[in-house]
Amino acid sequence: MTHVNPDPEPERTTGLEPGGGVPPGETPPAESSLPEAGPRQPDAQRRGWAKAPLTMILLLVAVIAAFFLVYALVLIL
């Protein structure tokens, strides 16, 4: 693979001061995107929720719903 340096070359870029700075009122050179993509990552996050966390969340929701149902019944009676 070949790699292209995305940084501007100071001797060929107009409007740059010594040291790479840009004078006031001058537009800095545009950034280039990376010429190459990184290695492909496996799609490990697409498997969905694990059973234990999903069960705990559903259990917590059921407990909270039961609490409010009992609280409503106590207020009515």
Side-chain angles (χ1 to χ4, degrees), residues 31-49:
E31 296 180 20
S32 62
S33 63
L34 293 177
E36 301 169 2
R40 177 152 168 75
Q41 298 289 330
D43 295 330
Q45 299 297 327
R46 291 191 178 183
R47 293 187 306 192
W49 287 74

